[in-house]
Amino acid sequence: MTEPASSAPALAARRAGQGDSAASGPRPAPGPAERAGAVIPGAGPAAGPGERATVRLRADAPEEPLRYAPEWLRLRESADAAARAVDALSALRARLASAPPHGGLVVHDLGCGTGSMGRWLAPRLDGPQHWILHDRDPYLLHFAAAGAARTAADGSGVTVETRRGDLARLTPDALSGASLVTASALLDVLTRADVAALAAACAGARCPALLTLSVAGRVDLAPADPLDAEITEAFNAHQRRNGLLGPDAAAVAAEEFAAHGVVVEVHPSPWRLGPDERELTAQWLRGRVAAAVEQRPGLGPRADRWLAERLAACAAGELHAVVHHDDLLALPPIEDAGDAV
């Protein structure tokens, strides 16, 4: 996917997903050491020694620096914004307008990273809003709060607060009073148990959820190459390591929400990368190969050749990529929604 999945606690925000190695032009194909050190597998550039993904998903994960390079998040923000499904947003607006909450919307943004979801969504919703930004990384929470949207679609005010904590501890009580739960590039770096807990928390709080940009496991590259399918297969296997959902995320989430009587809509939200996104595409390619080779080391020499050729085509403006994602909208039944929606 566009997000890393090298360990159970990894959340790339995604960021793949989620740097100091940001050159977009052609360069020699990386060897194994460079692949391991220059990128976060499956995502983009690493920020440096000791840095890692943003949200710890397990309470027993060891304490260590929790910083994800904002550069990767900056690179992908415009592609994310262009990809998110307008149909899901229309349905969400209709639901929120059907029973507007007293005092305005309260939105929980899970794994917020630098806050791109809020910057995209808050100006597209009417009425006063209060955003609660959740992440394990205080560094990214600072960026998210500082760069948050301040005005809703109708000119109403938007306020924010930050909460550092574990998604694994999310409960219906934590979402008490919530109007909406959002997340971006999150589901695919969770396990089924994590998603089940998230669905139960949202259903228990009778709160809609808009969960965007889950990797779908499909990539279309033009021009095509005979190795494309093998790289994709190895990458998808890497995404599923340690029990993570990877490309199965949207389907599993739909099942878990439906088990609580929640109506689920799944909408395609592909990245469409061309000459105007060369820097992002180059970093995405490097991360994709790093993950594929980590999963299947025997791919190494052929993958290095593939990457070098792809980077050259990217730098020349000749490479186009469609990276498929899914957006999931979960709506509790109207009769059960109460004052929460």
Side-chain angles (χ1 to χ4, degrees):
M1 134 181 178
T2 52
E3 281 74 38
S6 57
S7 64
L11 189 163
R14 315 215 297 8
R15 306 187 191 77
Q18 314 236 353
D20 57 6
S21 175
S24 61
R27 62 173 192 163
E34 184 182 1
R35 281 195 303 264
V39 296
I40 296 173
E51 297 189 352
R52 53 167 290 167
T54 54
V55 175
R56 182 175 305 149
L57 303 177
R58 300 293 187 283
D60 58 357
E63 287 292 338
E64 60 183 73
L66 289 172
R67 183 172 299 175
Y68 203 126
E71 174 63 11
W72 174 247
L73 306 184
R74 179 193 66 78
L75 278 177
R76 65 171 294 167
E77 184 164 349
S78 62
D80 287 349
R84 291 190 178 100
V86 175
D87 289 348
L89 180 59
S90 298
L92 175 63
R93 282 200 200 103
R95 168 56 63 89
L96 295 175
S98 69
H102 301 297
L105 300 175
V106 176
V107 184
H108 289 254
D109 186 5
L110 307 182
C112 67
T114 58
S116 65
M117 184 67 174
R119 285 190 291 275
W120 179 81
L121 183 57
R124 289 170 168 80
L125 298 178
D126 287 329
Q129 301 169 40
H130 181 67
W131 282 69
I132 302 172
L133 309 178
H134 298 257
D135 209 295
R136 276 295 298 189
D137 190 338
Y139 180 72
L140 292 183
L141 285 172
H142 167 77
F143 278 98
R150 301 299 177 183
T151 307
D154 62 357
S156 299
V158 177
T159 58
V160 300
E161 67 175 276
T162 61
R163 292 185 187 176
R164 187 183 179 200
D166 293 319
L167 293 187
R169 298 174 180 173
L170 192 67
T171 64
D173 286 345
L175 298 179
S176 178
S179 309
L180 174 66
V181 166
T182 71
S184 184
L186 174 66
L187 292 179
D188 38 45
V189 292
L190 301 181
T191 65
R192 179 180 278 272
D194 297 327
V195 171
L198 173 60
C202 292
R206 299 183 297 185
C207 177
L210 178 63
L211 308 171
T212 68
L213 295 167
S214 294
V215 65
R218 305 185 314 281
V219 170
D220 302 320
L221 289 167
D225 184 279
L227 197 60
D228 291 349
E230 198 168 349
I231 294 286
T232 293
E233 184 180 355
F235 179 79
N236 288 344
H238 189 279
Q239 289 282 289
R240 295 184 174 106
R241 290 180 8 158
N242 301 310
L244 302 185
L245 292 174
D248 307 317
V252 169
E255 292 174 4
E256 294 295 341
F257 275 96
H260 294 278
V262 175
V263 176
V264 176
E265 300 179 2
V266 178
H267 301 268
S269 54
W271 275 3
R272 299 185 185 277
L273 307 179
D276 292 339
E277 296 81 26
R278 296 180 206 193
E279 188 178 5
L280 171 61
T281 304
Q283 296 297 2
W284 170 77
L285 286 167
R286 292 180 180 123
R288 188 170 183 81
V289 167
V293 173
E294 182 178 338
Q295 182 69 22
R296 297 183 185 170
L299 277 174
R302 290 183 297 145
D304 288 346
R305 184 273 305 164
W306 183 92
L307 178 59
E309 292 177 358
R310 290 306 196 187
L311 289 174
C314 178
E318 298 169 352
L319 184 67
H320 295 262
V322 178
V323 184
H324 294 274
H325 302 89
D326 290 314
D327 287 2
L328 183 145
L329 177 63
L331 300 172
I334 292 288
E335 60 271 23
D336 294 335
D339 292 338
V341 295

